[in-house]
Amino acid sequence: MTLRHIEIFSVVCQEGSITRAAERLHISQPTVSVAIREMEEYYGGCLFDLISHKLYITPFGQRIYDYALRLLNLYADMADAKFSFDRLRIGSGTAIGKLFMPTVVKSFLSLYPDIQICVNVGEATRMYHLVMKNALDFVIAEVVDDISGLSHHSIQHFPVVAVCHRSNPLAEKAVVTAPELAREHLLLRELGSHTRSGVDTYFQTHNLTVVPMWESYSVQSLLNAATEGIGVSFLSLDHVLAYGSPDLVILNIPDFRAERYVHVCYHKDKIFTPLIQNFLDYYVQSTKALLQEGIKRYQAEHAGSTYSFPQL
């Protein structure tokens, strides 16, 4: 059993095909087949089932694959040990990547001008698969996927707030109620998101059924729609303040409580270098400072606001 066997086996698992695995590795199909057969003989168990000309990993094979990923990630970290101390490979969800990451990375580079930073922004699930392939060191995102071998912990949480254009009659009200909100055009996050779940629960507790006019995975899309005066959106406070539109008003809804959590996600065997930890600490501190600046700006622009900012 060699590391090459493990590498070939892992690529077959990822591609779900001996043919595609051979193409990716630039080796022949028989070489891939022999490596898989030798592994099955070594372990005395079947790693894949071939059903209707399709390859399916067995439960035993999945267990071996979990170990294989750990070994390959550790080997990659060891081979890249020198460079990992002056390089960061960061993944982030789209909202974080658009609203916060550019500012944080720019200022962090001013403190560490000799390091290399690579940032990959996109849909969280794709980022997590890059983490599992050791193509990223960690991901900062809201959504956490249930992927074997992926670890995570929360680093921030923010209240969810309702916002609308200041021309909306609700913007003039000292207190806004659930029935009033239910009559509005609602601009909501996609089903399954943590933010959306909190909003749905709120209306359900008031025995109200609502159908959103606008649903989107994109925070930017919802902020743009609210700024255009299309309706009321429910979004994380940090997103609203980072967007910084003076036309958006935060509504005071005393009985609405929901929070959005931000997580750092990484392979469970990832070794956090001092540089990685420094960046994560700096990210939390910087975004907190940006939030405080946003609160001051909002209070100056909306002196008559009845929304009370929580202690963060």
Side-chain angles (χ1 to χ4, degrees), residues 7 56 67-68 84 107 124-125 146 183 188 202 221 246 258 263 311:
E7 180 185 18
Y56 297 90
Y67 284 119
S84 65
S107 55
T125 296
D146 184 18
R183 291 192 290 269
L188 303 182
Y202 172 69
S221 170
H263 306 271
Q311 293 294 323

Side-chain angles (χ1 to χ4, degrees), residues 8-17 21 47-48 57 61-62 65:
I8 292 172
F9 166 69
S10 298
V11 174
V12 173
C13 292
Q14 293 161 9
E15 296 294 337
S17 164
L47 300 173
F48 298 98
I57 191 168
Q62 182 62 54
Y65 179 55

Side-chain angles (χ1 to χ4, degrees), residues 296-311:
K296 291 179 181 178
R297 183 176 60 251
Y298 182 88
Q299 290 173 330
E301 294 170 345
H302 303 274
S305 173
T306 57
Y307 176 76
S308 179
F309 287 96
Q311 293 294 323

Side-chain angles (χ1 to χ4, degrees), residues 178-189:
E180 290 172 325
L181 289 166
R183 291 192 290 269
E184 293 290 316
H185 290 153
L186 297 180
L187 322 171
L188 303 182
R189 289 288 303 272

Side-chain angles (χ1 to χ4, degrees), residues 37-297:
R37 184 171 65 251
E38 289 176 347
M39 284 191 67
E40 290 180 331
E41 291 173 353
Y42 179 86
Y43 286 111
C46 184
L47 300 173
F48 298 98
D49 286 327
L50 184 62
I51 303 174
S52 299
H53 304 291
K54 291 185 178 180
L55 212 57
Y56 297 90
I57 191 168
T58 65
F60 175 69
Q62 182 62 54
R63 185 176 181 184
I64 297 300
Y65 179 55
D66 292 341
Y67 284 119
L69 281 180
R70 294 172 65 183
L71 284 170
L72 291 172
N73 282 329
L74 286 172
Y75 178 76
D77 284 343
M78 182 176 68
D80 206 28
K82 176 183 182 299
F83 301 101
S84 65
F85 279 82
D86 57 12
R87 183 192 67 188
L88 287 174
R89 300 172 301 168
I90 305 165
S92 85
T94 52
I96 290 172
K98 290 179 180 179
L99 296 173
F100 306 109
M101 197 61 73
T103 301
V104 174
V105 168
K106 180 181 178 181
S107 55
F108 190 76
L109 281 171
S110 69
L111 299 176
Y112 298 88
D114 297 327
I115 69 169
Q116 177 188 1
I117 294 183
C118 301
V119 180
N120 199 324
V121 178
E123 194 268 329
T125 296
R126 184 173 71 84
M127 297 296 108
Y128 296 146
H129 285 296
L130 291 175
V131 164
M132 299 309 294
K133 295 178 181 179
N134 201 37
L136 293 174
D137 295 317
F138 59 88
V139 176
I140 299 176
E142 172 185 348
V143 178
V144 176
D145 287 358
D146 184 18
I147 298 176
S148 178
L150 183 71
S151 294
H152 64 88
H153 64 268
S154 174
I155 56 175
Q156 293 173 310
H157 63 93
F158 303 98
V160 175
V161 296
V163 295
C164 66
H165 192 273
R166 57 182 170 186
S167 64
N168 188 311
L170 292 184
E172 301 296 327
K173 295 182 68 67
V175 174
V176 178
T177 66
E180 290 172 325
L181 289 166
R183 291 192 290 269
E184 293 290 316
H185 290 153
L186 297 180
L187 322 171
L188 303 182
R189 289 288 303 272
E190 76 283 5
L191 281 171
S193 71
H194 193 76
T195 299
R196 175 64 178 273
S197 297
V199 174
D200 287 345
T201 298
Y202 172 69
F203 285 112
Q204 288 166 7
T205 58
H206 288 81
N207 296 315
L208 294 168
T209 300
V210 297
V211 178
M213 174 193 177
W214 193 303
E215 289 182 277
S216 178
Y217 171 86
S218 168
V219 170
Q220 189 86 30
S221 170
L222 296 171
L223 285 165
N224 290 343
T227 304
E228 291 295 330
I230 295 175
V232 176
S233 188
F234 287 80
L235 296 163
S236 183
L237 177 62
D238 59 320
H239 289 159
V240 172
L241 296 178
Y243 187 71
S245 171
D247 289 328
L248 286 182
V249 173
I250 301 175
L251 303 178
N252 182 30
I253 314 170
D255 61 347
F256 176 68
R257 294 286 184 275
E259 288 190 321
R260 164 184 165 269
Y261 288 83
V262 177
H263 306 271
V264 57
C265 304
Y266 46 92
H267 192 281
K268 64 181 179 180
D269 293 318
K270 184 66 183 178
I271 298 174
F272 273 38
T273 65
L275 184 61
I276 291 176
Q277 192 59 57
N278 287 344
F279 179 84
L280 292 174
D281 292 341
Y282 187 80
Y283 177 87
V284 172
Q285 295 165 6
S286 297
T287 50
K288 184 176 181 180
L290 290 172
L291 182 68
Q292 296 299 335
E293 291 173 9
I295 291 174
K296 291 179 181 178
R297 183 176 60 251

